[in-house]
Amino acid sequence: MTTSHDRVINFGAGPSALPVPVLEEAAKGLLNFSGTGIGIAEISHRSKEFTECINNLESLIRTQLGVPHTHSILFSQGGGSGQFSAVVMNMLARYRLLHPDVKPEKITMDYVVTGSWSKKAAEEARRLGGGQVNIAVNSREFSKDGKSFDNIPAHDAFKFSRDPALIYYCENETVDGVEFSHELSEPTSFPFHLLKQGSLAPLAADYSSSFMCRPIPRLADHAIIYAGAQKNIGPAGLTVIIVRQDCIVDVDAAAKLGAAPVPITFSYKTLEESKSLYNTPSVISIYMTALVLELMKEKGGLAYYEDLNRRKAGRIYGLLKDGEEKGVFKRKVKAGSESWMNVVFEVLGDDAEKRFLEGAEHLGMKGLKGHRSVGGVRVSLYNAITDEDTEKLAQYMRDFITQEVTTKGQA
């Protein structure tokens, strides 16, 4: 069974589903972009038409997300993993300019480790050197088994350094299905109140798998927010970086003072001064992301998607609770720490997970297998997953629960 265009429902974690109207429009653009008679994959990135496209994308993000003019919006390549490095190098350069006489061993970078991606980011910071990595909190220490990333720790568990060059967290952990609450009154929200008040906090956040799914709490208090496009807003190849302007520094001047040299395409100053066109950008990804953002605007922007995504997640988590009570499913994340975007769980019983995945695929639902490092099932409910898509999966889960309970009852 398939959807329109002989397409299945793609619940994969990324590259992920894109809206069909965007794909249809992009197909036209591959042949003739913006009436130029040249396809988007062929056109010069310095052409008037593409310059208008990238400027429009910046405007759509700034308007819908409410990005203040204290922050620049940059477009890069290299994905989130590239920013693991770029964030460290740019922020260490900034710190060196502010503190030219501080020895590297006295420089600290704080990392909040709540899942696989923030763990990788901290490892990259250690590899690059230039400062000491302080794990401000490690959620594994508060997990059920002492090994899993299954929670956001309480605020009193966070131990930030006195004057760090960088404070880093991942808002939504795609692999582990753990996410900070966007309600600041909740105990699983990010503890902004613990940061040094009255100063420009060096706070950097990886928003790759939750970007544009709802508003970003205290966006203006962040130094850097970045996101790979391939989850919610576009195809792989584009990284959106929102940078507070005091963090766009002269990395060459910092290098003369002892900071590590920064590759020129990783320098936020290079991206800012070239309007993200220092080298050939990911033109197709930028074009398609702009189409997605135009569609989002037509539907009502973040208010619409926040409501939609809350409903979708609530429906699936409600069924997980029912299935858990009946011994069919087992949630992998503690209550209050669950991701709206990546719902992770286990299917209990011999070969039950295999039956669940095969049954879903038979009904035209793919991409549900969990990450290879943790196993289980992962349902990714990004913006392009509709209410109807979610209900189809929900009905399958209801039927699966009933079938499993009946089978166990007959055994």
Side-chain angles (χ1 to χ4, degrees), residues 28-327:
K28 298 175 186 176
L30 282 172
L31 290 174
N32 186 349
F33 168 62
S34 194
T36 61
I38 302 173
I40 183 62
E42 308 162 275
I43 200 162
S44 167
H45 61 291
R46 302 195 187 280
S47 65
K48 174 176 69 71
E49 292 81 6
F50 183 75
T51 299
E52 290 174 356
C53 176
I54 197 170
N55 289 342
N56 181 47
L57 175 56
E58 178 184 347
S59 176
L60 288 165
I61 293 172
R62 186 176 296 280
T63 302
Q64 293 187 53
L65 200 54
V67 179
H69 289 288
T70 51
H71 289 62
S72 296
I73 299 175
L74 311 175
F75 303 109
S76 182
Q77 295 154 303
S81 297
Q83 291 307 303
F84 291 169
S85 310
V87 165
V88 169
M89 300 180 89
N90 281 273
M91 294 305 281
L92 285 177
R94 173 182 182 266
Y95 194 83
R96 175 55 60 193
L97 291 169
L98 293 172
H99 307 278
D101 299 321
V102 175
K103 295 180 180 179
E105 59 268 23
K106 297 294 184 180
I107 300 173
T108 303
M109 295 176 283
D110 287 350
Y111 275 75
V112 173
V113 177
T114 53
S116 301
W117 290 113
S118 50
K119 178 175 176 288
K120 286 179 183 292
E123 289 168 351
E124 174 64 357
R126 284 196 192 94
R127 193 186 71 82
L128 290 173
Q132 305 300 310
V133 172
N134 170 55
I135 303 302
V137 71
N138 185 342
S139 70
R140 279 179 163 171
E141 297 174 3
F142 303 90
S143 65
K144 300 169 190 172
D145 58 9
K147 298 183 294 183
S148 303
F149 290 119
D150 66 2
N151 71 97
I152 298 294
H155 290 170
D156 60 8
F158 290 70
K159 306 298 180 187
F160 294 115
S161 303
R162 186 181 63 81
D163 183 29
L166 169 64
I167 302 168
Y168 187 104
Y169 74 101
C170 179
E171 197 270 347
N172 181 82
E173 291 282 0
T174 322
V175 171
D176 305 282
V178 174
E179 184 173 27
F180 284 89
S181 173
H182 69 304
E183 298 292 347
L184 296 183
S185 60
E186 293 294 322
T188 53
S189 63
F190 187 84
F192 292 100
H193 64 285
L194 296 180
L195 305 181
K196 187 177 179 180
Q197 302 301 304
S199 63
L200 296 173
L203 183 62
D206 177 354
Y207 260 81
S208 289
S209 51
S210 55
F211 192 64
M212 300 299 294
C213 80
R214 60 189 185 189
I216 294 178
R218 294 183 61 166
L219 186 155
D221 292 333
H222 289 77
I224 302 166
I225 291 169
Y226 71 81
Q230 70 275 10
K231 310 291 188 180
N232 260 321
I233 58 169
L238 169 66
T239 307
V240 180
I241 315 168
I242 301 171
V243 188
R244 199 174 60 215
Q245 283 152 15
D246 65 284
C247 299
I248 300 174
V249 300
D250 188 335
V251 296
D252 293 333
K256 291 176 182 178
L257 294 173
V262 179
I264 195 163
T265 56
F266 271 22
S267 165
Y268 296 149
K269 187 171 186 286
T270 299
L271 292 174
E272 167 80 358
E273 291 179 346
S274 65
K275 300 187 182 300
S276 300
L277 297 173
Y278 178 80
N279 62 330
T280 307
S282 301
V283 290
I284 294 178
S285 297
I286 288 169
Y287 167 58
M288 292 183 68
T289 300
L291 293 178
V292 171
L293 268 290
E294 288 282 9
L295 181 64
M296 289 182 64
K297 179 181 176 181
E298 291 173 15
K299 286 183 173 290
L302 287 193
Y304 169 85
Y305 282 95
E306 180 175 27
D307 181 59
L308 171 65
N309 290 323
R310 180 185 289 110
R311 291 199 313 270
K312 292 187 304 186
R315 193 176 310 166
I316 300 303
Y317 279 113
L319 282 165
L320 279 187
K321 181 179 179 182
D322 182 48
E324 193 165 40
E325 290 171 352
K326 293 174 180 174

